[in-house]
Amino acid sequence: MRRHQAHCRRRAARRPLAVSAGMATGLLVTGLLAAPAQSHADDGTGAPIGTVARTVGDARYEPGPCPKTPEPVEELEGARCGTLTVPENRAKPSSKTIKLGVAIVPAAARTPKPDPIVWLAGGPGDDAVGEAKMAIGGGLNRDRDVILMSQRGTYSADPTALCPNIDEFNARAVGLVYDAPSTEHLHVKATKACRDQLAGRGLDLGAYNDTESAADYEDLRATLGIKQWNLYGISYGTQLALVSMRLHPEGLRSVGIDGILPPSKAGSAATWSSARHGIDGLFKACADQPACNKRYPNLSATFDKLVSDLEAKPVTTTVTLPGNDKPVKVVLDGGALVNWMTSATHVAPQVPAALDELAHGKPQRIARQWAGGKLSPAAIGRVAHGLVYGVFCSEWTPYESQEQALKGGQEAFPSFPHSVQAQAPQLAFLRPDCDVWNVPAAAPSIRDVTRGDIPTLALSGSFDSQTGADNGPYVARTLSKAKVVTIPYQPHVVIATSKCAQEIAVSFFENPDAPKTACLKGLEPPEFEIAP
């Protein structure tokens, strides 16, 4: 999961709940690639999938150049590419059309299976095509083609719903008090400027949501001539996968969801619960190691005290970031520390030492990490904020009251100051943002739980503080063929960081009834950094 002020988006999600992209960068593991494909899966006519133009209903797929990406993506070399053209708003007969970029990475096997895997990106607002490294590095193309399509509004779609002004504000905001009224004013001002810019370009902002996106993928399946395929969603992509399972189950062989965001309870209270779950998992891992526990006893109490102390008296420091010689002013208050922590589980071995440094008057490490992702060039102009708010403001805020959101913070972290509890992790100022975004609420059915018997792999990391591991059992209650797997000691989106998770995911698509989980038995906790 990812959004405006939190990242991912994101990672981010990223971010919800985009992996926090700034912190996850560099953590992606190399994958299970085999020899180049010697054969291909076909579209029913004998032609490789994605090489034939086809129109089905109002949708048309056309082969063509590969979608643009901010940097070259090696994993896209040799991909079959094109565009899907669909109505922007299917509820309006006169709707204009939009184009979505498509890239199909061939299977590595000599004889690919006929049912491809479709990668659903995190965010909301991340571009699946740009996540090819994660998908292919995770081994998903071992014996199946992997299909990546830019969700509407994202980086390689036409039109885009990007708003670099929001990213630029996020970079400046590291020097502001996180939850101050003055910060809220500037934050919402940036959101409104984004909305005005996109609406001025003619985008129908009420059409950027999960219902339309799920229909986009169903149209892609039809126009590619695929009878049945598999989904693999990460972070926010798990919400889209669960919506797709409910609205378009007919073409689904199996579904993997990794870093789970259930649409039936998505919102501020859920992000508080997830933060508690993942942070507690990390603190327990330290407490279970004698050296870590001795050097950093009772981390939970240390963290709670730091949040309260910093909220009462924020710390201001300056840091120098890689590639930028100009010192950057960073303000750390209670809200900033909470949001840093939800992403810092990606660098878990450093967390106890970093908190200890902060408690002893050395905020630089945390300040550098807090600012680093937001000021990175990779954080500017890549997230489709029009899709972020299209989802949040039509599907989340209409179905969660301000009182429910606040209660989530109070229950998860009862000792936190009210001003911190009032701004959920990754979602600060969401309600006033949605007031200015001003799109209609989605139909109440968007909050329905997903039911059915589609084989589903529900993957989580025990350190995931963005979409907590308890979401796996939650969604499995109504999915009769769900397999719930929690990877210990791993953060948000386990396929990016865990070889074991990759093996389990690949084995699941090979046999959805019996994924191989033996690798879980040999996993070791991280070796926490122990300062002198």
Side-chain angles (χ1 to χ4, degrees):
M1 181 177 82
R2 171 202 297 282
R3 96 173 269 266
H4 190 324
Q5 116 346 290
H7 305 283
C8 113
R9 157 347 185 169
R10 343 289 103 302
R11 153 36 63 213
R14 213 196 70 308
R15 245 141 23 343
L17 272 142
V19 171
S20 175
M23 308 208 71
T25 300
L27 291 174
L28 305 185
V29 288
T30 54
L32 310 169
L33 296 176
Q38 301 297 313
S39 185
H40 59 258
D42 66 60
D43 63 358
T45 68
I49 293 171
T51 59
V52 175
R54 186 182 285 110
T55 299
V56 178
D58 292 331
R60 179 168 177 78
Y61 174 82
E62 294 188 37
C66 285
K68 65 178 181 178
T69 55
E71 296 90 23
V73 178
E74 182 180 350
E75 288 74 14
L76 295 177
E77 293 179 11
R80 303 185 296 273
C81 298
T83 56
L84 177 72
T85 302
V86 294
E88 184 180 41
N89 190 333
R90 291 174 174 84
K92 296 180 180 179
S94 60
S95 173
K96 66 177 184 293
T97 59
I98 60 177
K99 291 187 176 183
L100 310 176
V102 179
I104 303 167
V105 178
R110 289 180 177 272
T111 307
K113 301 292 174 60
D115 46 290
I117 296 172
V118 181
W119 179 268
L120 301 180
D126 293 342
D127 193 327
V129 179
E131 293 182 347
K133 179 178 179 66
M134 202 188 312
I136 306 310
L140 294 184
N141 74 322
R142 187 179 73 176
D143 51 14
R144 286 177 168 81
D145 291 354
V146 171
I147 300 175
L148 308 113
M149 181 171 76
S150 54
Q151 201 177 339
R152 49 179 52 211
T154 59
Y155 188 87
S156 60
D158 182 15
T160 64
L162 311 177
C163 285
N165 76 292
I166 285 181
D167 306 320
E168 291 160 359
F169 170 77
N170 290 342
R172 295 193 304 273
V174 301
L176 304 176
V177 174
Y178 179 85
D179 50 19
S182 55
T183 303
E184 176 180 352
H185 172 76
L186 295 171
H187 184 107
V188 176
K189 182 179 179 182
T191 301
K192 186 176 186 305
C194 169
R195 189 201 192 285
D196 291 347
Q197 182 258 126
L198 297 180
R201 287 170 43 211
L203 274 71
D204 183 346
L205 298 179
Y208 289 75
N209 56 53
D210 284 328
T211 301
E212 292 285 2
S213 290
D216 294 341
Y217 281 96
E218 181 61 11
D219 281 345
L220 179 65
R221 186 180 69 84
T223 57
L224 290 179
I226 298 171
K227 181 179 180 181
Q228 197 174 49
W229 63 13
N230 310 273
L231 303 181
Y232 194 90
I234 63 163
S235 192
Y236 155 74
T238 67
Q239 173 174 312
L240 180 56
L242 289 161
V243 170
S244 297
M245 291 167 72
R246 184 169 57 80
L247 297 180
H248 304 285
E250 57 276 8
L252 299 179
R253 170 181 175 266
S254 68
V255 177
I257 47 178
D258 178 352
I260 302 163
L261 182 63
S264 53
K265 67 172 188 177
S268 297
T271 64
W272 276 119
S273 173
S274 292
R276 177 87 271 176
H277 200 280
I279 292 169
D280 281 353
L282 192 157
F283 289 166
K284 183 180 185 301
C286 174
D288 288 344
Q289 291 184 23
C292 190
N293 189 48
K294 180 179 179 181
R295 180 63 181 82
Y296 310 111
N298 205 353
L299 271 177
S300 183
T302 299
F303 175 63
D304 287 1
K305 185 175 187 302
L306 281 168
V307 170
S308 295
D309 290 351
L310 289 172
E311 190 68 3
K313 189 177 180 181
V315 167
T316 301
T317 188
T318 57
V319 297
T320 302
L321 302 174
N324 187 352
D325 295 333
K326 185 178 179 181
V328 175
K329 174 189 172 185
V330 179
V331 176
L332 294 177
D333 63 353
L337 185 62
V338 169
N339 278 267
W340 166 81
M341 188 69 204
T342 61
S343 294
T345 49
H346 286 278
V347 289
Q350 298 184 42
V351 167
L355 290 173
D356 184 70
E357 289 170 3
L358 181 61
H360 289 87
K362 299 177 181 177
Q364 284 73 26
R365 187 195 316 224
I366 290 178
R368 239 185 329 266
Q369 292 178 355
W370 175 236
K374 298 176 187 298
L375 274 76
S376 165
I380 307 296
R382 301 192 185 188
V383 174
H385 294 283
L387 181 59
V388 174
Y389 288 114
V391 171
F392 290 175
C393 301
S394 69
E395 302 175 24
W396 291 21
T397 56
Y399 299 104
E400 180 182 55
S401 69
Q402 193 165 355
E403 291 72 25
Q404 289 170 320
L406 178 60
K407 185 179 179 182
Q410 293 169 335
E411 291 182 346
F413 295 94
S415 72
F416 282 2
H418 181 276
S419 55
V420 175
Q421 294 169 338
Q423 304 298 339
Q426 313 170 71
L427 299 174
F429 314 125
L430 179 58
R431 196 161 295 277
D433 278 339
C434 285
D435 288 343
V436 300
W437 202 255
N438 191 26
V439 291
S445 59
I446 198 68
R447 305 289 290 190
D448 288 351
V449 298
T450 301
R451 303 177 184 276
D453 60 359
I454 298 170
T456 304
L457 175 65
L459 271 173
S460 302
S462 68
F463 287 179
D464 188 345
S465 52
Q466 293 168 283
T467 56
D470 55 340
N471 287 334
Y474 173 84
V475 299
R477 296 177 312 160
T478 53
L479 298 171
S480 63
K481 293 185 179 178
K483 311 290 184 184
V484 178
V485 179
T486 298
I487 311 292
Y489 318 121
Q490 291 297 320
H492 187 54
V493 182
V494 292
I495 198 170
T497 56
S498 168
K499 178 87 167 182
C500 181
Q502 294 172 3
E503 293 175 1
I504 292 170
V506 171
S507 73
F508 168 76
F509 289 118
E510 181 180 330
N511 182 0
D513 292 327
K516 298 175 182 177
T517 60
C519 60
L520 292 169
K521 296 177 183 177
L523 299 181
E524 298 288 339
E527 186 174 336
F528 289 100
E529 176 185 331
I530 307 296

